[in-house]
Each structure stands twice: as structure tokens, then as C-alpha cells.
Amino acid sequence: MAAETRARTVGEIMSRPPVTATADETVASAGARMREQGVGSVVVVDGERPVGILTERDLVRLAAAAASTSDAVAAWMTPDPDAVAPDADVASAFASLAEHGYRHIPVVDDDRLVGIVSMRDLMRIAQIQPADNLAGDVPRGLEGVVVAETDIGDVRGLEGFYHYRQYDAVELAETRTLEDVWYLLFNGALPSLAERDRFIEEIAPLREIPDDVKAILPDIARVAQHAPPLDLLRTTVSLMGAALGFRPSLDLSGAELYEQGLRVCAVVPTLLCALYRLQHRMEVVDPRPDLDYAANYLSMMRGDEPTAEHARAVEQYLISTIDHGFNASTFTARVITSTGADLAAAVVGGIGALSGPLHGGAPSRALDMLDSIGTIDKADPWIRDAVERGDRLMGFGHRVYKTDDPRSVMLRSVAERLGGRNVEFAKQVEQQAIDILAELKPGRKLYTNVEFYAGIVMDTCGVPREMFTPTFASSRVIGWTAHILEQAADNRLIRPSAHYSGAPPPQPVPPAE
Ligand SMILES: CC(C)(COP(=O)(O)OP(=O)(O)OC[C@H]1O[C@@H](n2cnc3c(N)ncnc32)[C@H](O)[C@@H]1OP(=O)(O)O)[C@@H](O)C(=O)NCCC(=O)NCCS
């Protein structure tokens, strides 16, 4: 018990002996050692002195650059890595890893490599250490705190860059289909043409809503006729999971969970469009196996076949929003999965988190804001008043991006390509808002986020405002599910601690009056 009640040191929990490499050996042999030993990095040493670190991420960079694995380790390692001393306490090592986004830090004693400490080691200790030792420094809203490892993707806020697996997400949105990216997220690699065809064939029948569930959709739409479609989706995904007998993820094999994930992701667009049309007393439009994902989605929503230009624009939006680091809804889905609950429960949790205006609920509000501003001559006073009142400008600001949101940059160019009444106006409002925010909120680094131009693009493609956030959900469910599969494959219950700040206990319980 003593070890659990005092601050623990890095030396006590580090892995040793560390797996090492030399700068002049090949990346192939160092990579093979990493795989054999089951570690995510090797420390590059000169004698006992660490001179660099080579991580899995470096191997991914090498593969992405199609470089040769016979390159020397020196060409791909990070030289002079930050290190931590063995007598440093766990909390400060944790803070350093989290702040710099490192996953591993060499432990160095007097210029001599003695071990390596990973985020995983620190997380293990954080589970048993009293919260006081770690929680004091945890920032509000967990900003910047690393809470898991993932191979699915990452967001680099200061660089304005994000990626899915090892590929630039914007480049994927510009060059690939949604099905390709879905396959990438679920399977870890982009599909060959034959794999893509098989995947599309596999998904097509899964777009159909099971008959029993379909039969009660009119009732659901009637009793909640004015509810946002996302609220109805939450209800029907839950119903579907129960009707199809989804069992706790803890009791399923990876393959069974994968099948369920495909099914839920494929049916979500159909459910959304059916519910939306029923709420508006329109006939439900069945999915069409001959149409690609986005064209099928628009056809089920609008009741007519969209132009190729509109389908492609919406597809680009959908690809760009499939995944985005440890956002609130993804985190929620992973927490629920970590309890071993079924896949539908995790997706329903994700939908709930996404529905909030601070997460996914902003694109229609951004368009409402443009409507409310009306004309560009009114933009300056309107924005100033709003910010001075303490209101948030919808479609601006981001927890991670402190520069242009790359999704907003891409969607701005999609909006320009499509043309339409609002684009020039939106660009002018964007510039004025950024200038006014810089003046009234100096240092906060507030720029447009994904939601600002998402609204413009969807509006131009005939997506009604009430379907903006649902459309976001229809792609993000793929990201949630990829995370659910990853969490289930290497699970540990996510159970953090809170710092108690209430009245000091124990107080005697007063008698009931
Ligand atoms: C996205 C968002 C929730 C990120 O929030 P966050 O990282 O917690 O940022 P904070 O709430 O700590 O805000 C930091 C400061 O910037 C200001 N700020 C952040 N976003 C702002 C916005 N959109 N308009 C005006 N001010 C904003 C805050 O008022 C705060 O100012 P203060 O220091 O004077 O109190 C926030 O930027 C926001 O509410 N944006 C509008 C909603 C939106 O577009 N959501 C979609 C997100 S993809």
C-alpha cells in the first residue's frame, strides 16, 4: 500500500532494459526488433548514451514517403530526444509527455540510458495513484491531456494538419471516395480496386433498415414530429441494436464486432433520411445500390438523384469529417466501449455528444448567423455586438486548431467551386469576424472551423438545415466505429478520477426531519 500512497518515480515504473538500436544499422533491422519485442520505439544509443529515438510513427513516415528500409536509422530517428531522470515523479513525466505529444521518453541517469517510459506505463500508474497526485494539474476540459493510444489518426493543431492512418485527410477528401476512406479506417490500409468493389458489394444490402424497425419508424416520427432528426436517430440506433440482438462487445470476437459496425454505419444514412422524410410527411425513399454513398444519401433525403457535382461536394465534406482525433463524441464512444457495452450503446453515446452546439450542432447556426447579419455593411456592428455581449460566433474557434482549420480551408474551396449566393458574402464575413475576434479576444487565435463552410456547402447542395448535424453524424459514425473496434481489440476500462472540491468530509449525517 505504501507505494500507492506516495508519489511514484519514473525509475519505479519504467521498462528496462530498454530496447535499443544504433544509428548506423538499417531501419529494417531496428523495425524488426521493435516488432519482436512488442515495443513502439527504440532508443538509438552511442555506447550507453542516447542519441536519438526511432518510433512507429517514423516507420509510418518512411512508408508514406516510399523510402527504403535499408536507410540508416540516423536518417529517420529524432535526434537528441527529450529525456527524463529516474527520480522524476510520475506526474511531471506525464505532464511532459502530454504537453509535447510524445508517446515514449528515454529515462537517462547521468548521460546513461537506463530505461524507457511510455504513456501506457504512466496511464497504468495513474489508475492506482491517488487523484491528488495527478489531478491538480489537469487542465479544464482535459485540454491537451493524452488519454489513449490510437493508430486511427491524429490532429496537429498548431500545424493545421490532420490525418487518417498515415494519410493527409484533406488529400484523401480531394482524391478518394468515401468508401475508400471507410475501408481505410476499418482495415488500416486503402483498398485495391478489387477490394473496393467487394467492400461496396458488402455494404449495399446493409443500407436497408431491418423490416421490424422500419415498420415502427412512422410512429417514432409522429410522436416526436418536431424533434431534431438526430434525436430520433439516437432512439432508432438503440432500437436497432436491441432488435438485432447486439451483445456486449466484451463477449464478441473482433470479426463479429466488425460486422455489426459495418451494418450500423451503412444503415445510419438510411435511418436519418427516412426519419426526416416521415417527419415532413413525405414518402420514404429506399436506398439505391447503384449509387455511391453520397449520391445515395442525397437521393434518399431529397427524393431525386443529385448532380454529380453536388454528390461529390457532399462526399468531400463527409470524408473530411469522418474522424478527428479525440473529439468529445469519439471519446464518449470509446469510454462506453471500454465498459464492454454493446456497439449500439457506444454509437448512441456518440450521437448524444455530437448533438451539442459546441461540438456538432453548429453548422446550421453558422448559416443562421449569416442570415441574421443580412448584408455585409451590417457585419461589423453585428459581430462586435455579439462578441462584446459574450456570445460565441458559430463556426469560429476550435479546441485544438490555433490556426486555420484545414477542413474549413478545403470546404471554402469546395464552396467556391460550387458557387452560389452565399459564398462571397460568407468569405467577407469570415474575414471581418477573424479581424474583430483578433481585436476583442487578443491571443485566443480564433479562426473559422469546419462548421462555417460546411453549412454553405450543404445548403448549396440542397441539404436542409435541420439535416446538417445529422449529415455530420452519418460520416462520423464511421470514425466512432473504427475507434470502438480499436478500443475493444485492446481494452482496459476507462475510469479516470476527479479532484474533489466540495465541503470537507466526513460530516455527521443529520437526522431526517
Ligand atoms: C469550439 C469551441 C467550443 C472551443 O472551445 P474552447 O477550446 O473550450 O475555448 P474556450 O471556451 O476556452 O474559449 C477561449 C476564449 O475564446 C473565446 N471564444 C472561443 N470561441 C469563440 C467564438 N466562436 N466566438 C467568440 N469567442 C470565442 C471564448 O469566449 C474565450 O474567451 P475568454 O478567454 O475571454 O473567456 C469554441 O471555440 C466555440 O464555442 N465555438 C463556437 C461553436 C462552434 O463553432 N462549434 C463547432 C466546433 S467544430
Side-chain angles (χ1 to χ4, degrees):
M1 283 311 281
E4 291 179 21
T5 51
R6 67 178 166 77
R8 302 188 66 179
T9 65
V10 166
E12 289 173 55
I13 64 155
M14 68 188 182
S15 307
R16 79 188 130 192
V19 184
T20 59
T22 55
D24 56 0
E25 73 173 294
T26 63
V27 172
S29 74
R33 198 166 319 120
M34 263 191 232
R35 275 190 302 279
E36 273 159 28
Q37 308 274 338
V39 294
S41 66
V42 284
V43 185
V44 186
V45 286
D46 178 8
E48 286 188 303
R49 194 170 61 87
V51 293
I53 187 161
L54 184 79
T55 68
E56 278 165 343
R57 283 187 204 176
D58 298 319
L59 301 185
V60 168
R61 275 196 306 124
L62 177 134
S68 165
T69 51
S70 56
D71 281 1
V73 164
W76 291 94
M77 70 183 192
T78 303
D80 303 323
D82 279 351
V84 63
D87 56 1
D89 67 283
V90 165
S92 55
F94 178 79
S96 181
L97 275 172
E99 186 186 328
H100 293 96
Y102 300 143
R103 292 208 237 176
H104 310 94
I105 308 192
V107 184
V108 177
D109 189 13
D110 206 12
D111 233 15
R112 205 170 47 85
L113 178 71
V114 291
I116 186 155
V117 69
S118 70
M119 193 45 120
R120 206 178 277 245
D121 299 331
L122 295 174
M123 300 293 290
R124 217 179 47 228
I125 293 310
Q127 304 276 348
I128 56 164
Q129 184 151 321
D132 290 1
N133 290 346
L134 289 170
D137 292 337
V138 173
R140 265 164 68 78
L142 295 184
E143 180 168 357
V145 175
V146 174
V147 292
E149 297 218 352
T150 180
D151 290 343
I152 293 169
D154 194 20
V155 181
R156 298 196 199 145
L158 295 177
E159 294 166 44
F161 171 79
Y162 73 118
H163 60 101
Y164 302 155
R165 306 287 181 187
Q166 63 267 50
Y167 303 110
D168 179 340
V170 169
E171 203 181 325
L172 286 169
E174 276 164 355
T175 58
R176 290 296 193 137
T177 66
L178 184 126
E179 287 87 348
D180 282 353
V181 180
W182 180 353
Y183 186 98
L184 169 70
L185 255 64
F186 270 40
N187 297 293
L190 282 166
S192 64
L193 291 179
E195 285 167 338
R196 174 200 288 179
D197 289 347
R198 268 202 306 279
F199 189 63
I200 290 174
E201 241 171 65
E202 194 180 357
I203 293 166
L206 303 180
R207 288 174 174 171
E208 300 284 346
I209 303 169
D211 286 342
D212 292 356
V213 176
K214 197 171 175 184
I216 44 179
L217 292 186
D219 286 336
I220 294 178
R222 187 177 44 76
V223 295
Q225 202 194 337
H226 302 292
L230 208 56
D231 291 7
L232 301 197
L233 178 73
R234 200 172 63 200
T235 303
T236 43
V237 169
S238 176
L239 179 67
M240 239 191 76
L244 294 175
F246 282 9
R247 286 185 296 124
S249 59
L250 199 65
D251 300 335
L252 297 183
S253 67
E256 287 169 307
L257 204 58
Y258 180 99
E259 288 306 316
Q260 291 184 352
L262 269 193
R263 176 143 208 181
V264 167
C265 294
V267 84
V268 158
T270 320
L271 284 172
L272 278 170
C273 294
L275 290 163
Y276 160 73
R277 289 184 70 85
L278 287 166
Q279 280 185 309
H280 290 272
R281 301 183 201 289
M282 293 186 277
E283 245 178 66
V284 171
V285 176
D286 287 330
R288 280 183 43 189
D290 59 313
L291 293 181
D292 292 343
Y293 184 100
N296 174 57
Y297 179 59
L298 288 174
S299 126
M300 292 190 300
M301 186 190 310
R302 303 187 334 187
D304 59 359
E305 195 173 324
T307 62
E309 201 190 11
H310 284 174
R312 180 62 187 148
V314 169
E315 182 173 45
Q316 286 184 277
Y317 165 70
L318 293 169
I319 295 173
S320 73
T321 50
I322 277 191
D323 186 47
H324 204 238
F326 245 61
N327 58 85
S329 55
T330 300
F331 181 42
T332 305
R334 281 190 82 130
V335 170
I336 294 175
T337 302
S338 84
T339 69
D342 73 78
L343 183 132
V347 169
V348 170
I351 297 170
L354 186 78
S355 65
L358 299 187
H359 187 0
S364 56
R365 291 172 187 239
L367 219 51
D368 293 344
M369 180 179 82
L370 289 179
D371 285 352
S372 166
I373 292 173
T375 50
I376 195 62
D377 54 305
K378 306 214 181 73
D380 187 285
W382 194 102
I383 296 168
R384 261 175 213 286
D385 279 1
V387 177
E388 277 164 3
R389 252 196 332 265
D391 288 355
R392 303 266 164 141
L393 300 182
M394 288 295 149
F396 290 83
H398 196 271
R399 171 59 64 82
V400 182
Y401 291 122
K402 300 302 169 200
T403 178
D404 284 325
D405 180 335
R407 302 167 301 176
S408 152
V409 176
M410 187 202 77
L411 291 172
R412 189 198 296 131
S413 79
V414 173
E416 284 171 334
R417 189 179 78 214
L418 290 171
R421 59 190 173 97
N422 258 329
V423 183
E424 280 314 309
F425 177 51
K427 282 164 61 182
Q428 289 168 338
V429 171
E430 175 189 20
Q431 197 47 58
Q432 292 213 13
I434 288 173
D435 292 346
I436 294 169
L437 286 168
E439 182 192 325
L440 301 181
K441 297 269 174 190
R444 301 333 184 272
K445 299 196 168 77
L446 299 167
Y447 302 91
T448 37
N449 61 46
V450 61
E451 311 261 340
F452 189 72
Y453 285 102
I456 307 280
V457 168
M458 285 194 269
D459 187 48
T460 311
C461 295
V463 177
R465 281 181 205 202
E466 64 192 289
M467 286 300 278
F468 286 2
T469 304
T471 302
F472 186 1
S474 76
S475 69
R476 186 53 66 84
V477 66
I478 296 173
W480 295 332
T481 307
H483 279 274
I484 290 168
L485 298 177
E486 188 180 61
Q487 179 70 39
D490 183 17
N491 187 48
R492 181 144 202 251
L493 176 69
I494 299 175
R495 201 295 190 192
S497 301
H499 184 245
Y500 175 73
S501 55
Q507 300 288 334
V509 178
E513 288 181 9

